[in-house]
Amino acid sequence: MSWYLTDVARFRAERQGIEILAQEVDWFAVTAWRLDARLRLVLDAEIGAGGRVYPIYLQYPDMFPHTPPSVFPRGDTARWSEHQFGAGGELCLEYGPDTWTANNTGRDLIESCHKLLVTENPGGDELGDAPSRHVVSLGQGLRIRYSRYLLTRTFRALLSELPLRASLEANLVSLYHKESVVHVVDKVTLADGTQWTDPTVPSQLGPEYTERRVPICRWDETDTPPTTESLDEFDSGFAAVGNTLEARYGFIVHGSELSVFFLDRKKRSVVDVAVISPPPEATRLDAAHSVLAAKKVAIIGCGSLGSKAATMLARSGVGGFVLVDDDILLPDNLVRNDLDWRDAGVHKVPALARRLQFVNPSIDVLQWRVPLGGQEANESADAMLKRISECDLMLDGTADPNVLNLLSAVAASAKKPVIWAEVFGGGFGGLIARYRPGIEPPPSFMRRAIENWFGERGSLPRRSHRPYEAIGTGIDVPMTADDADVSVIAAHAARFAIDLLVDRGPSLFPNSVYAIGLGADSVFSQPFDTYPIDVGPPPPEPEVVELSDQEKVTEIATLLELLKDKIGGTDPTAQDN
């Protein structure tokens, strides 16, 4: 129901306040009150300013008095003010959604409108300048600009190094969206024939979107920029400095400023493309995160949890990944996976690699489209495990005990940490766990301690892992965890990982395992119940077998015989190596 029916007293106060204003001043006159087609209350009136009469209408919104009325020109499509949303559009006054309170009235809007018009049109030939109550945001300024160019910091740094009046060639990548097209340059062929590549633009952007070669030239600040009034005049201005332009897009660097133009040769017109300049550079991560660029993480399992944790680590600055998974992304996976329809039908590993490099173009990704511990060639499996062992951290997102056992053996041998995480079936909670060789017990011991901890409380968690052999057999495994459930556990796992990789000293996490509640079920009484689980110290190291000197001589002689056979029967002791 309209506000003027539910608050008749406010309706009377609004009407009386405006009609009293018309009696008090000579610059304002009420024409009529009316209801528009949407039954909104509207006042038609006239305001005098600078020797001119401005017909206006004041339109009350449905949510008045919680949102302010609007003032529009009435029957006039000309632009009245610099503080106006386009010709014939709403006037931008002192009172807007950011400054309005319910104590303000329509009369305040009328007085503000008069102040604006008098300030900007005081009479005579001179025009005034009314101060703005706000700064138009980047988003507001680009709402009506379909064609946009994204200027990166690295490309902006290159512009001042380009030779004057030399026509070079740039590779323009265009990303078409429903509401806009965004362009970016990823490569420039320099005057000496070498190619400059922007390291901050993903390398796969060009091949996946639209690429075209466009001319770019740098003019001196004293050169007159070409007019965009017509295509012929633009071409003439371009040719005035010895350049010709036949492409659909042209780049001009005028002094230190970049201008981008779209040339519609069919309509014989020139469109000035909006250039989005980079904001001042600001540090968005603390200094401790800088070490992550040199770190490499193995992600075992690129499903819902693994894909989310990997993306979070990439955003945090991790510079290298080894991705291991043999699965295909299907549309049914999209309820939880960090990927989307653009990668449906693709192996999860290359799809996630693409995702990570779109997040951080400088990331190095090694891809293995195989299952860890699956039926693969021994040599291939060995090579994969070697690459995993070279990582600074291994993250298991498979929730498969067999995978974790193999991974923990690799970790123990390489003295590298492992993090694993699970989301319990039903989405009521999950757990995160950390294994540091020599500090925590191996995962097989830890899993036993975890099961005992839940068992002592009379509630073992339901596992959401569905083994391959269960598919199609009718075995029902709860899989109702939603994206938010998985994201919470993945975020905790990523935080665990960052703590290990940054290595500020003592860990922020005094315990190695945490059970995290997302609902009232199992051991959890409510969402966000968190329980640290004590898994005990690592078992004692196995006794080291020491050989006698004679036993060592015997074993070394055996190795030398093997080396002798390897190098063609020569005596290996005679070789420098």
Side-chain angles (χ1 to χ4, degrees), residues 128-465:
D129 183 19
S132 175
R133 69 174 173 86
H134 63 83
V135 177
V136 175
S137 69
L138 175 64
Q140 288 174 313
L142 290 175
R143 274 199 300 237
I144 60 173
R145 302 296 296 272
Y146 174 75
S147 191
R148 308 164 186 181
Y149 177 78
L150 189 64
L151 178 61
T152 66
R153 291 188 180 89
T154 46
F155 186 43
R156 183 174 62 182
L158 175 73
L159 297 180
S160 60
E161 300 176 9
L162 299 179
L164 286 173
R165 302 184 183 88
S167 184
L168 305 178
E169 195 173 58
N171 188 62
L172 184 69
V173 181
S174 302
L175 292 76
Y176 288 88
H177 307 276
K178 183 177 180 180
E179 76 290 345
S180 64
V181 55
V182 178
H183 313 281
V184 65
V185 163
D186 64 346
K187 301 180 188 71
V188 177
T189 302
L190 302 177
D192 61 1
T194 60
Q195 181 172 269
W196 172 87
T197 300
D198 192 333
T200 65
V201 178
S203 59
Q204 68 269 38
L205 203 65
E208 292 194 21
Y209 292 91
T210 302
E211 295 180 281
R212 55 171 64 88
R213 307 298 289 179
V214 299
I216 178 172
C217 58
R218 176 169 165 252
W219 293 2
D220 191 77
E221 292 181 356
T222 60
D223 292 327
T224 303
T227 177
T228 59
E229 292 298 320
S230 73
L231 183 60
D232 290 336
E233 291 179 284
F234 183 86
D235 284 340
S236 298
F238 213 82
V241 292
N243 299 128
T244 58
L245 186 59
E246 298 177 355
R248 295 177 64 194
Y249 285 88
F251 284 71
I252 296 176
V253 183
H254 192 235
S256 60
E257 298 297 321
L258 176 68
S259 298
V260 183
F261 303 96
F262 169 69
L263 313 179
D264 191 334
R265 297 199 174 275
K266 289 185 178 180
K267 295 182 179 179
R268 308 299 296 169
S269 63
V270 180
V271 176
D272 186 7
V273 177
V275 176
I276 305 174
S277 297
E281 193 163 5
T283 302
R284 298 179 182 269
L285 294 170
D286 63 44
H289 282 69
S290 61
V291 302
L292 296 179
K295 302 294 185 179
K296 182 174 288 188
V297 176
I299 304 292
I300 315 302
C302 300
S304 54
L305 194 147
S307 65
K308 292 178 185 296
T311 304
M312 293 176 195
L313 293 175
R315 294 189 192 283
S316 299
V318 172
F321 289 88
V322 173
L323 306 181
V324 181
D325 200 320
D326 72 321
D327 202 9
I328 299 290
L329 183 73
L330 300 176
D332 289 350
N333 301 137
L334 301 182
V335 296
R336 284 181 291 268
N337 202 287
D338 202 53
L339 304 172
D340 57 46
W341 243 104
R342 289 169 294 184
D343 291 306
V346 176
H347 275 86
K348 290 178 181 177
V349 162
L352 181 56
R354 170 184 178 273
R355 169 84 167 136
L356 299 181
Q357 287 171 332
F358 271 136
V359 168
N360 182 354
S362 64
I363 279 176
D364 176 62
V365 183
L366 183 63
Q367 306 176 31
W368 289 87
R369 291 179 295 175
V370 297
L372 187 66
Q375 296 179 357
E376 298 287 337
N378 291 342
E379 186 174 2
S380 175
D382 182 70
M384 176 178 64
L385 292 176
K386 183 177 184 299
R387 290 304 184 96
I388 292 174
S389 70
E390 294 169 351
C391 292
D392 299 285
L393 171 69
M394 308 167 203
L395 193 152
D396 177 17
T398 65
D400 186 338
N402 297 325
V403 170
L404 182 58
N405 287 340
L406 177 57
L407 199 60
S408 60
V410 175
S413 174
K415 298 293 189 291
K416 299 294 180 62
V418 176
I419 286 176
W420 77 91
E422 295 182 38
V423 181
F424 299 144
F428 66 85
L431 68 83
I432 57 172
R434 171 189 62 199
Y435 165 54
R436 295 170 294 180
I439 300 177
E440 285 98 6
S444 57
F445 287 70
M446 296 175 72
R447 290 187 68 88
R448 193 180 309 151
I450 293 168
E451 297 298 321
N452 290 340
W453 185 89
F454 277 96
E456 289 168 0
R457 287 154 180 77
S459 182
L460 292 176
R462 298 189 299 274
R463 303 298 185 190
S464 60
H465 175 64

Side-chain angles (χ1 to χ4, degrees), residues 8 32 37 42 105 113 121 139 180 219 356 365 372 449 489 514 518 532 558:
V8 178
V42 176
T105 67
C113 181
N121 303 278
S180 64
W219 293 2
L356 299 181
V365 183
L372 187 66
I489 304 303
Y514 293 87
L518 300 176
T558 302

